[in-house]
Amino acid sequence: MLGNFSYHNPTKLYFGENALDFLNEELKNYGKNVQLIYGGGSVKKTGIYDSVVAILKENGKEIFDDGGVMPNPTVEKLREGVRIARENKIDLLLAVGGGSCCDYAKAVSVSVHCDEDPWEKYYIRFEEPDCEIVPVGCILTMAGTGSEMNGGAVITNHGQKLKIGHVFSDDVMPKFSILNPKFTFSLPKRQMVSGIYDIFNHICEQYFSGDDDNTSDYLSEALMKSVIHSSYRAIEDPEDYEARSNIMWTATWALNTLISRGKTTDWMVHMLGQAVGAYTDATHGMTLAAVSLPYYRHILPYGLKKFVRFAEEVWGVCPDGRSDEEIASLGLERMEQWMKDIGVTMNITDLGASEEMIEGIADATIILDGGYKVLSRDEVVAILKESL
């Protein structure tokens, strides 16, 4: 492994069917006022909300509801959450939901005691918090983002047509996260497969960089194979606990910074997908799926060695009698077939994008330099057009 790095993850995880019981233990560490963050109401229909509220009341907590967190949390919602936290002197932000709720909670946590506009400070200037941070806890109901064990917080500004993620320092990571795979059983299939592809692409974003013999790449290959195997089982039986638990655990390890150690990492699929999302408000995992193959086919010649390895180690492509280019291309073909099998969206047109939006989406795409090819704006436009 090349380079020097540090690794520290402060989030404590509770995993399994009885994981929620440990909320009692964690609540002793925080003050009385809890801001209960959740989405559109599914947690109430499933009974998870009532279970959490009961535990909070048993522990003498004052509950301040903050519902209605949308799949792509907006800057307006962020400001609303900050207002609730300030008015009620919140001691703990408890997110009950998927990655959007966790992301939103972290964005609120760094903004409550900040005198500046959080969008400008954290998402335009990319500054780090220099104020008190309100602690965050997560109770996960959807697997995919890995937000339960990282410092990432993605916020959308529809007025500026920007969707931007800020990966904050260790102090902003959730203090604890509760992962019960059964809480994911009620997800609609589209949300489940969107999360599955999000997991897979998180791994790809870290895998497709560097040329050295890196332990992180071996870990990534194992995680990708686990996702592929479990995805088929979960689609056949959404209540296959073993499959859903493996998907949930893989999601966490795909983006808790472990497999990025010793890597430069790419993240251009996310930059493209988030720009599409800013214009369409489409589901995050689906925007990634829609732009992935055109992007990977574009950069394949520049990272040919890794794409050959990807084909052989992840997709089982036999190299006999084939050129490196043929092996690498066949790997992407098998990836494409898997994507179709699980039912992700394969183009941005189906997500609401049009050719007239391409120039604007290209302008909203942040160019990163950690992968095998630093894209020009013309290349971004070409990839987006291939994604239509």
Side-chain angles (χ1 to χ4, degrees), residues 75-364:
V75 67
E76 292 82 9
K77 180 61 181 172
L78 170 58
R79 290 171 181 143
E80 178 188 336
V82 170
R83 176 186 58 78
I84 294 170
R86 286 176 176 170
E87 290 178 356
N88 299 290
K89 296 181 171 56
I90 292 300
D91 299 302
L92 173 67
L93 297 158
L94 185 60
V96 184
S100 293
C101 288
C102 299
D103 277 24
Y104 167 79
K106 284 177 275 186
V108 172
S109 78
V110 297
S111 304
V112 175
H113 299 290
C114 175
D115 294 331
E116 299 178 69
D117 176 65
W119 175 257
E120 289 293 326
K121 181 176 178 65
Y122 299 126
Y123 294 93
I124 299 300
R125 302 198 302 269
F126 284 96
E127 294 177 4
E128 287 303 309
D130 51 9
C131 57
E132 180 186 348
I133 298 167
V134 181
V136 171
C138 298
I139 300 171
L140 208 60
T141 63
M142 178 180 175
T145 68
S147 190
E148 67 276 6
M149 203 179 186
N150 65 43
V154 180
I155 297 295
T156 297
N157 188 320
H158 289 302
Q160 296 181 18
K161 292 192 181 300
L162 292 172
K163 181 178 178 181
I164 299 175
H166 187 141
V167 181
F168 291 98
S169 62
D170 292 0
D171 291 342
V172 185
M173 290 183 180
K175 303 303 179 188
F176 65 91
S177 288
I178 291 169
L179 285 67
N180 180 345
K182 286 190 172 181
F183 287 178
T184 69
F185 283 4
S186 62
L187 282 174
K189 179 183 176 183
R190 180 175 173 81
Q191 284 185 266
M192 179 182 75
V193 299
S194 177
I196 287 169
Y197 190 76
D198 196 12
I199 299 165
F200 190 83
N201 188 250
H202 286 159
I203 305 168
C204 289
E205 296 278 36
Q206 297 162 92
Y207 183 74
F208 287 117
S209 65
D211 293 310
D212 62 312
D213 185 28
N214 190 305
T215 298
S216 295
D217 288 337
Y218 293 92
L219 295 172
S220 292
E221 288 162 356
L223 291 171
M224 284 190 276
K225 288 192 281 189
S226 177
V227 172
I228 295 162
H229 174 73
S230 294
S231 68
Y232 283 113
R233 288 181 56 182
I235 287 170
E236 183 178 348
D237 177 10
E239 296 193 8
D240 181 329
Y241 181 85
E242 189 172 70
R244 299 302 289 271
S245 64
N246 284 333
I247 289 168
M248 186 174 237
W249 192 234
T250 303
T252 301
W253 287 94
L255 201 58
N256 67 357
T257 74
L258 176 68
I259 62 171
S260 67
R261 299 306 85 180
K263 305 283 295 180
T264 56
T265 73
D266 188 354
W267 298 108
M268 274 312 303
V269 169
H270 270 67
M271 296 304 99
L272 291 159
Q274 286 176 185
V276 171
Y279 272 73
T280 63
D281 211 29
T283 303
H284 174 64
M286 296 303 187
T287 65
L288 303 180
V291 301
S292 285
L293 288 168
Y295 174 70
Y296 288 135
R297 286 178 174 135
H298 184 81
I299 68 164
L300 183 149
Y302 305 95
L304 181 60
K305 180 180 176 182
K306 182 59 68 66
F307 279 97
V308 169
R309 176 173 169 173
F310 177 66
E312 293 178 1
E313 299 299 330
V314 177
W315 298 105
V317 174
C318 177
D320 294 349
R322 295 187 171 106
S323 68
D324 284 352
E325 290 78 6
E326 289 171 334
I327 295 167
S329 295
L330 187 53
L332 291 183
E333 287 176 24
R334 292 191 181 177
M335 175 178 164
E336 181 177 18
Q337 186 57 57
W338 169 69
M339 292 168 71
K340 290 177 179 178
D341 288 345
I342 65 173
V344 296
T345 303
M346 302 299 291
N347 62 78
I348 63 175
T349 303
D350 289 346
L351 299 176
S354 64
E355 189 161 4
E356 290 72 28
M357 295 179 185
I358 294 297
E359 295 293 332
I361 295 172
D363 288 338

Side-chain angles (χ1 to χ4, degrees), residues 46-64:
T46 59
I48 297 171
Y49 174 90
D50 289 338
S51 297
V52 173
V53 166
I55 294 172
L56 290 171
K57 288 182 176 178
E58 287 169 9
N59 285 271
K61 303 300 182 182
E62 189 76 21
I63 303 167
F64 298 90

